[in-house]
Amino acid sequence: MEQKACSALGLIAVLEIFSLVLHSAIGDVSYSFPEEMKRGLIIGNLAKDMGLEVGDLAARKARMETDKNSKRYCDLNLSTGDVIVADRIDREGLCGKKSSCLLIQELVLEDPLELHRISLHVQDVNDNSPQFKKNAIKFEIRESADKGSRFRLDEAYDADIGLNAIQEYSIEENENFNLNVVAKSGGGKYSELVLKKELDREQKKELTVVLVATDGGSPQRSGTAVILVTVLDANDNAPVFSQAVYKTSLPENSPLDTAVVTVSATDADEGVNGNVSYEFDHVSDENNNVFSIDSTSGEVKVSRMLDYEEKTSYEMQITAKDGLGLVSSSTLIIEVTDVNDNAPVISIKSLKNPVPENIQLGTEVGLINVQDRDSDSNEKVRCSIQQIVPFKLVPSIKNYYSVVTTGQLDREIVSDYNITISATDEGSPPLSSSKTVHLSVADINDNPPVFEEQSYSAYVSENNKAGSTLCSVTARDPDWRQNGTVIYSLLPGEVNGAPMSSYVSVNGDTGVIHAVRSFDYEQFRSFKVHVMARDNGSPPLSSNVSISVFVSDVNDNSPQILYPAPEGSSFMTELVPKAAHGGSLVSKVISVDADSGQNAWLSYYIVKSTDPGLFTIGLHSGEIRTQRDISEADSMKQNLIVAVKDNGQPPLSATCAMYLLISDNLAEVPELKDISYEEKNSNLTSYLIIALVCVSTFFLTFIIIILGVRFCRRRKPRLLFDGAVAIPGAYLPPNYADVDGTGTLRSSYNYDAYLTTGSRTSDFKFFVNHNNVWLFGHYLFFQSGFGSHTVS
């Protein structure tokens, strides 16, 4: 090993001389360099020799590939463009005795794909010493041998070639023998021991001579063997082969012990001198134990499995020796024929993964290489993709195929492809192999968020708490990661002139819609919210949806009594005729509720009265009627406390006081002043004058009112429907509505209210019954700073 290392170092200088670059017309390159170079040493610079920029090597994924060889002996330094030794290169192991040792490597460049042939010529160095098959060469020579007799010696073997192979044989000086060196016609040399002086067995029975084989390398190497000569009687005939060269062939899948050929040699001598034995001459390491020979019959058999892809032919020397040591030789050449015993090998050279889903048709996404180690038709390969996928194989340079797209990709439909590539050779029977390539489809933002429903409805009770949840909207985006991340936001809008954001808010992550403040059913009953769902793609995509928010009523408004006027700074008194019979309509309580539905269904109750059995009130109409005929024993002044209650849960209520006078005319009621509110005496005179004027003009006013009723009935505002009591506009609160069936304002009577030409300090109210017309007056007295009122 030290000699080999010294030789390799000594030949580094030779490397610079022998290394040369040959450029072919298609850009192929050849390098010549010595064997046994150390790993990492530079053979040449491909970038310079092929006219490439060093930066292009990495950009185009340059790499060294082998052609049917399992081992790559050279690598490419992408940073410098140098071709460097990647593994031990032993010329003898690769090429044996061939005069030329050529290794084929391939340079592969992508984008665009280029393939260059790199020829590596391995030069021999003197790293092997000559060796003899046996350390001792034994001869038995009869003493009768003639001077000049020649005895062929075993040939030394040197794995090197050319000058590094065996050049000379020599023996030490002695008196009996000379050495003759003979060049073989097929190459190589062997030596013969020449008898220069007759032997005398009586003087010396055995002779010892040292044989030296020397090569022509620098430095020279040599090997020795000891020639042991036993002096015998003469054996004058050597064995003779039937053929100088034996040629045969056999398939590489031949089983062990298959007979290859039988060699034959004859010897004219008799007895022991004519007995011939066969053996292989020196066999190289790569041929060792591949074949065996029967020493007696000369039959050659297979002793180790053959492989055409490793070695296509064998050449060996067979010697035939007679019983007394005469030897002859013949050449055996065995050709190994190829059989289809290697399936194609599929290699993925490059792959774009993942592939964007908007990739154009016909784009190359991968590069594969298919090789079959067999030869001729056995190495021809057909490739295809087995499944129905939007990809196909396009043949490229030599045994390369491009994987290109044939259809539009959609990650939301198919996000991954397992592409099975099958390769089948044309052997008989054909062999095939397959390889699965996994391709992922990369997402792009091509889908906007889609709401689960076209529109949403939300229901909330009024007086809700701020921050309460109204509803939740959900939008789905089939895209991936940020392209599929949905963010919710409110679109600008207004409710009752206020921005939408002051009423509701939306959680940007969950889509939950919250109320920002409390809602009032009496202000608005519904409104629409528009929500946008936007993804996080670039550019972002969005969609909108509308949410109808309906506010439901709760019982949060007490009934409001419109008639009689609420107690406070005024009171109201109504006259009841003494002749009123049971069931007569006396008055009516009119009230409304700002709520709706059952929350606005009103019920009327008399909670307190002067004479509990005299008057009754309609549960839903509010009409006050007599329960019996009025008698003289009934008190003239009747006070009623009426409660109005809605149907909500819990119910709300209001009360009012009704003052009734049982009398046919005002003159019979001198004590009316007793129920009036206390007022300042300074205004008494003015009120008496007003009362006298009113009485004196009573009949004229009555006639005018009757005519006015007919005229104004068509013009005065009614409360919801005909037949209801008409209340002066000043008494009606805004936004009130009656509910069918409550009876709040329904009656078989029509009521009209009229004011005098003066202020609201005194009114006359007449009730007209269309079934039996009768009239009674009401005196309304309001305390407005004028003192007490009297009527005479």
Side-chain angles (χ1 to χ4, degrees):
M1 292 302 294
E2 293 180 356
Q3 285 181 324
K4 291 184 178 181
C6 292
S7 298
L9 291 173
L11 288 173
I12 292 177
V14 179
L15 168 63
E16 301 299 325
I17 299 174
F18 283 95
S19 179
L20 54 100
V21 183
L22 303 174
H23 295 272
S24 66
I26 61 171
D28 292 347
V29 177
S30 294
Y31 291 103
S32 181
F33 59 97
E35 64 172 326
E36 299 294 346
M37 290 182 65
K38 290 185 178 180
R39 290 180 177 86
L41 288 180
I42 298 173
I43 295 174
N45 189 286
L46 267 181
K48 177 180 177 183
D49 297 336
M50 296 186 66
L52 298 173
E53 293 294 333
V54 174
D56 291 342
L57 297 178
R60 297 181 63 183
K61 300 180 182 178
R63 59 185 177 274
M64 299 291 288
E65 299 283 356
T66 62
D67 187 8
K68 295 187 180 181
N69 289 323
S70 60
K71 184 179 292 185
R72 188 171 69 249
Y73 294 96
C74 296
D75 268 336
L76 179 62
N77 188 327
L78 298 180
S79 301
T80 62
D82 292 329
V83 180
I84 60 176
V85 177
D87 202 352
R88 176 175 178 257
I89 301 176
D90 182 14
R91 192 204 65 80
E92 288 75 26
L94 294 172
C95 303
K97 284 291 188 179
K98 292 180 181 179
S99 60
S100 175
C101 187
L102 177 65
L103 297 179
I104 302 301
Q105 307 278 285
E106 293 178 343
L107 173 65
V108 180
L109 298 170
E110 293 185 21
D111 196 22
L113 179 63
E114 291 183 18
L115 191 64
H116 297 274
R117 179 187 177 97
I118 309 299
S119 299
L120 303 177
H121 297 271
V122 182
Q123 302 297 331
D124 184 49
V125 298
N126 191 26
D127 58 343
N128 292 283
S129 299
Q131 293 179 351
F132 289 90
K133 181 180 179 181
K134 300 176 181 179
N135 293 330
I137 304 173
K138 296 180 180 181
F139 279 98
E140 294 179 343
I141 303 175
R142 291 186 180 275
E143 61 180 349
S144 60
D146 297 333
K147 184 192 298 186
S149 296
R150 298 173 181 267
F151 304 93
R152 179 172 171 173
L153 302 175
D154 290 348
E155 183 180 355
Y157 177 81
D158 193 334
D160 298 322
I161 62 172
L163 290 175
N164 296 325
I166 297 174
Q167 301 297 320
E168 288 294 336
Y169 290 92
S170 63
I171 60 174
E172 58 186 356
E173 187 69 23
N174 65 86
E175 60 179 0
N176 296 108
F177 298 98
N178 284 331
L179 191 66
N180 182 42
V181 178
V182 181
K184 297 168 62 175
S185 60
K189 295 179 180 181
Y190 66 90
S191 60
E192 295 176 335
L193 196 61
V194 181
L195 187 61
K196 68 177 181 179
K197 179 184 177 182
E198 292 82 1
L199 298 177
D200 187 355
R201 181 177 178 277
E202 287 70 31
Q203 287 184 357
K204 200 170 187 179
K205 295 181 180 180
E206 293 181 350
L207 300 173
T208 300
V209 179
V210 177
L211 176 63
V212 179
T214 306
D215 63 22
S218 178
Q220 282 188 328
R221 293 174 177 267
S222 62
T224 61
V226 177
I227 303 172
L228 300 176
V229 179
T230 302
V231 181
L232 299 175
D233 288 330
N235 181 23
D236 55 351
N237 290 292
V240 178
F241 280 94
S242 60
Q243 296 177 214
V245 177
Y246 291 87
K247 286 187 178 181
T248 187
S249 65
L250 74 162
E252 62 175 324
N253 62 346
S254 299
L256 298 180
D257 293 330
T258 298
V260 180
V261 68
T262 300
V263 298
S264 176
T266 59
D267 194 310
D269 296 323
E270 293 180 354
V272 177
N273 295 331
N275 293 335
V276 179
S277 62
Y278 304 93
E279 64 179 6
F280 287 121
D281 203 349
H282 184 86
V283 180
S284 62
D285 292 338
E286 66 268 20
N287 297 342
N288 191 29
N289 298 327
V290 178
F291 301 97
S292 63
I293 187 170
D294 189 291
S295 60
T296 303
S297 65
E299 184 181 40
V300 178
K301 293 183 178 181
V302 177
S303 60
R304 197 178 71 186
M305 295 303 296
L306 305 177
D307 191 349
Y308 174 85
E309 287 69 42
E310 289 185 3
K311 197 171 184 64
T312 59
S313 64
Y314 295 87
E315 183 176 341
M316 295 168 289
Q317 297 294 321
I318 299 178
T319 60
K321 182 185 292 186
D322 61 22
L324 296 180
L326 293 181
V327 178
S328 63
S329 63
S330 179
T331 301
L332 173 61
I333 299 175
I334 301 175
E335 298 289 342
V336 181
T337 59
D338 184 45
V339 296
N340 192 29
D341 60 344
N342 289 282
V345 177
I346 302 172
S347 302
I348 307 299
K349 297 303 180 182
S350 67
L351 189 65
K352 296 179 181 177
N353 200 9
V355 179
E357 61 179 319
N358 63 342
I359 192 170
Q360 294 183 353
L361 300 183
T363 302
E364 179 182 294
V365 297
L367 185 67
I368 68 168
N369 176 265
V370 182
Q371 291 194 6
D372 194 312
R373 297 182 63 200
D374 297 319
S375 61
D376 300 329
S377 62
N378 294 331
E379 71 172 341
K380 295 180 180 178
V381 178
R382 298 186 304 272
C383 281
S384 62
I385 293 177
Q386 298 300 303
Q387 310 102 310
I388 300 176
V389 292
F391 301 94
K392 69 177 181 179
L393 291 179
V394 177
S396 188
I397 300 174
K398 200 178 178 182
N399 49 359
Y400 282 86
Y401 293 83
S402 297
V403 182
V404 299
T405 57
T406 60
Q408 185 63 49
L409 305 181
D410 191 340
R411 192 204 66 85
E412 287 69 46
I413 297 177
V414 181
S415 61
D416 294 275
Y417 290 93
N418 287 319
I419 304 171
T420 301
I421 300 172
S422 176
T424 305
D425 61 27
E426 296 184 1
S428 180
L431 299 178
S432 62
S433 62
S434 62
K435 194 175 188 69
T436 299
V437 178
H438 179 79
L439 275 178
S440 298
V441 181
D443 184 51
I444 62 169
N445 193 28
D446 57 347
N447 290 282
V450 177
F451 285 94
E452 292 183 346
E453 299 182 20
Q454 293 183 350
S455 62
Y456 293 82
S457 297
Y459 300 88
V460 59
S461 299
E462 65 173 328
N463 303 325
N464 59 292
K465 292 183 179 181
S468 59
T469 299
L470 300 182
C471 69
S472 176
V473 297
T474 303
R476 307 292 183 187
D477 193 320
D479 292 323
W480 194 46
R481 289 189 176 174
Q482 66 177 18
N483 294 333
T485 302
V486 179
I487 299 175
Y488 303 92
S489 61
L490 285 178
L491 290 176
E494 291 186 352
V495 177
N496 287 351
M500 184 66 67
S501 58
S502 64
Y503 285 87
V504 295
S505 66
V506 62
N507 188 305
D509 296 326
T510 64
V512 176
I513 298 175
H514 299 278
V516 174
R517 65 182 182 183
S518 178
F519 300 147
D520 188 352
Y521 175 85
E522 287 69 44
Q523 289 185 358
F524 55 84
R525 301 184 180 185
S526 66
F527 60 92
K528 280 195 174 183
V529 180
H530 295 279
V531 175
M532 178 179 70
R534 175 180 58 83
D535 59 30
N536 265 340
S538 179
L541 301 178
S542 63
S543 60
N544 303 334
V545 73
S546 64
I547 300 98
S548 298
V549 180
F550 298 94
V551 182
S552 59
D553 183 49
V554 298
N555 193 30
D556 60 343
N557 290 282
S558 299
Q560 182 174 352
I561 299 175
L562 304 180
Y563 184 84
E567 289 190 59
S569 61
S570 64
F571 74 95
M572 178 178 291
T573 302
E574 297 191 11
L575 293 179
V576 179
K578 293 180 179 180
H581 297 289
S584 298
L585 177 65
V586 175
S587 183
K588 181 174 182 177
V589 177
I590 301 174
S591 62
V592 294
D593 195 309
D595 295 319
S596 65
Q598 68 176 10
N599 295 328
W601 296 353
L602 302 181
S603 302
Y604 299 86
Y605 307 90
I606 296 177
V607 297
K608 185 178 180 181
S609 66
T610 303
D611 189 347
L614 182 57
F615 298 100
T616 184
I617 189 168
L619 178 63
H620 298 298
S621 65
E623 294 178 346
I624 299 175
R625 296 178 180 272
T626 56
Q627 292 192 75
R628 56 179 174 77
D629 295 343
I630 295 176
S631 65
E632 293 295 333
D634 293 328
S635 173
M636 179 179 293
K637 294 183 289 183
Q638 296 287 331
N639 297 335
L640 302 179
I641 304 299
V642 177
V644 183
K645 183 171 67 173
D646 60 27
N647 198 37
Q649 292 296 329
L652 302 177
S653 62
T655 59
C656 66
M658 179 72 73
Y659 301 101
L660 303 177
L661 290 178
I662 300 176
S663 175
D664 290 330
N665 56 69
L666 297 177
E668 297 177 356
V669 209
E671 67 278 12
L672 184 64
K673 61 184 178 180
D674 296 336
I675 62 174
S676 62
Y677 294 103
E678 292 184 1
E679 300 185 41
K680 296 180 181 180
N681 293 328
S682 59
N683 294 325
L684 180 60
T685 303
S686 298
Y687 281 91
L688 288 175
I689 294 173
I690 294 173
L692 291 174
V693 172
C694 290
V695 171
S696 63
T697 59
F698 173 81
F699 294 103
L700 180 63
T701 303
F702 174 74
I703 295 173
I704 295 173
I705 290 175
I706 292 299
L707 295 176
V709 166
R710 299 294 183 182
F711 178 77
C712 295
R713 181 168 298 166
R714 299 191 186 129
R715 303 183 63 184
K716 279 184 174 293
R718 300 274 179 177
L719 191 64
L720 289 182
F721 50 84
D722 289 341
V725 177
I727 304 301
Y731 288 95
L732 293 175
N735 301 327
Y736 279 85
D738 190 21
V739 179
D740 264 351
T742 64
T744 304
L745 302 178
R746 295 180 80 99
S747 175
S748 60
Y749 296 91
N750 289 338
Y751 300 92
D752 292 310
Y754 300 91
L755 298 178
T756 62
T757 57
S759 67
R760 292 179 60 186
T761 56
S762 65
D763 293 340
F764 285 98
K765 184 177 293 286
F766 299 90
F767 294 82
V768 180
N769 188 321
H770 290 281
N771 295 325
N772 47 3
V773 179
W774 51 275
L775 174 67
F776 56 92
H778 300 268
Y779 293 90
L780 303 177
F781 298 92
F782 299 88
Q783 185 171 351
S784 57
F786 297 101
S788 60
H789 301 261
T790 59
V791 179
S792 60

